[in-house]
Amino acid sequence: MRLFIVFAPLFAVSAPLNCYICNSKKQPDCIDNYQAFNTICPVRSLGGVKLHEPVGCRVTRQYSKEKMWIIRECGYLGEERERKFNTTTYLNGVKEPATCVFSQCSENLCNSAESSNYFLTAAAVFVAIFKLFA
């Protein structure tokens, strides 16, 4: 019995990570009905060689003018974080300024609508201010 207790931790297998995986540009339900996209994150591999185990879930919200997109996905690098940055995007073939709000977390299904509410609010304020001065 003691032998089992000593060696049991050596055989522990980590549980798979579940995240919501969708893109609201292609899947409009990704915004409000994201629960339908509950997926086990695959291990990334190349030519049959395992390269990266998933380390967390990500959600990226992109705002440009009056448009918003959400991308929910598995994360393979990095640590838990939230950040906001400015970028550009193309709307109807025209390059437009955009703001991205990015969040990565490490628990199952943590890239839901409730994740990064602080940045969602901040981004909404940014869009409102942008509309005032545009």
Side-chain angles (χ1 to χ4, degrees), residues 33-46:
N33 192 22
Y34 54 87
Q35 296 88 349
F37 301 100
N38 178 350
T39 307
I40 295 174
C41 294
V43 174
R44 284 194 175 169
S45 59
L46 180 63

Side-chain angles (χ1 to χ4, degrees), residues 32-76:
D32 295 320
N33 192 22
Y34 54 87
Q35 296 88 349
F37 301 100
N38 178 350
T39 307
I40 295 174
C41 294
V43 174
R44 284 194 175 169
S45 59
L46 180 63
V49 177
K50 291 183 179 181
L51 298 177
H52 298 287
E53 297 266 346
V55 296
C57 301
R58 293 181 181 160
V59 61
T60 303
R61 292 173 177 85
Q62 183 172 329
Y63 303 87
S64 182
K65 291 196 175 183
E66 297 175 12
K67 302 260 187 197
M68 179 190 74
W69 298 275
I70 295 179
I71 300 167
R72 301 178 198 278
E73 61 189 345
C74 301
Y76 293 89

Side-chain angles (χ1 to χ4, degrees), residues 41-117:
C41 294
V43 174
R44 284 194 175 169
S45 59
L46 180 63
V49 177
K50 291 183 179 181
L51 298 177
H52 298 287
E53 297 266 346
V55 296
C57 301
R58 293 181 181 160
V59 61
T60 303
R61 292 173 177 85
Q62 183 172 329
Y63 303 87
S64 182
K65 291 196 175 183
E66 297 175 12
K67 302 260 187 197
M68 179 190 74
W69 298 275
I70 295 179
I71 300 167
R72 301 178 198 278
E73 61 189 345
C74 301
Y76 293 89
L77 300 172
E79 65 266 346
E80 291 188 20
R81 70 169 68 190
E82 290 189 24
R83 69 179 205 149
K84 178 180 147 185
F85 57 94
N86 295 319
T87 186
T88 56
T89 190
Y90 286 89
L91 293 174
N92 300 322
V94 178
K95 193 173 182 179
E96 297 285 345
T99 298
C100 286
V101 180
F102 169 86
S103 177
Q104 180 167 312
C105 48
S106 60
E107 297 177 10
N108 279 321
L109 304 175
C110 59
N111 60 342
S112 66
E114 291 79 30
S115 62
S116 69
N117 277 336

